[in-house]
Amino acid sequence: MSERELELGYADGQTFRLSTEFLRVMSPSAEVRGHGVGQETLQVGMRHVGLANITQSGRYALKLHFDDGHDSGLYTWEYLWELANRRDAMWAYYLRQLEEAGASREPLGIPLNQL
């Protein structure tokens, strides 16, 4: 596993690799999804985001701690399964949203790492 991918393995033998960028822009957090339809916030400049840590939340979810400081939102096993199985369609939709907004996956400015 690279620091920019999360590999998921399921009991039926299926494995999936999801990029940290995809996981970050599809975060289930209120910061990204909002509190209702139409309140979503398009995530831009996330091409190089990585994972700083992963913690388990009970037996039902993971909390992903991204190196840009984002760590809200719980990724349930069901949501991770949905992301893995709908990745291509969800990614294409995200790229269309970026294009329509005139936004980019590239970060603005010079990335700074926290010490």
Side-chain angles (χ1 to χ4, degrees), residues 3 11 29 32-34 47-49 51-52 55-56 67 91 99 105 107 115:
E3 69 181 48
S29 70
V32 174
R33 286 187 165 183
R47 180 186 284 270
H48 304 293
V49 72
L51 281 172
T55 54
Q56 192 164 337
D67 61 9
W91 186 248
E99 186 177 339
R105 293 173 54 210
L115 298 177

Side-chain angles (χ1 to χ4, degrees), residues 3 7 13 15 17 24-25 28 40 46 48-49 53-54 56 62-63 70 77 80-81 90-91 94 106 108 110-112:
E3 69 181 48
E7 184 173 0
T15 60
R17 287 178 178 240
R24 174 64 177 84
V25 302
E40 302 86 357
M46 298 295 165
H48 304 293
V49 72
N53 197 12
I54 302 171
Q56 192 164 337
L62 295 177
K63 183 171 188 171
H70 181 77
W77 298 116
L80 289 166
W81 178 259
M90 293 172 88
W91 186 248
Y94 169 69
E106 296 300 328
L108 297 176
I110 300 169
L112 300 175

Side-chain angles (χ1 to χ4, degrees), residues 28-46:
S29 70
E31 176 186 329
V32 174
R33 286 187 165 183
H35 293 285
V37 177
Q39 295 183 357
E40 302 86 357
T41 301
L42 182 61
Q43 302 299 295
V44 300
M46 298 295 165

Side-chain angles (χ1 to χ4, degrees), residues 8-16 76-82 84-85:
L8 302 167
Y10 288 86
D12 65 1
Q14 291 190 70
T15 60
F16 301 95
T76 64
W77 298 116
E78 291 81 13
Y79 186 58
L80 289 166
W81 178 259
E82 178 184 356
N85 284 279

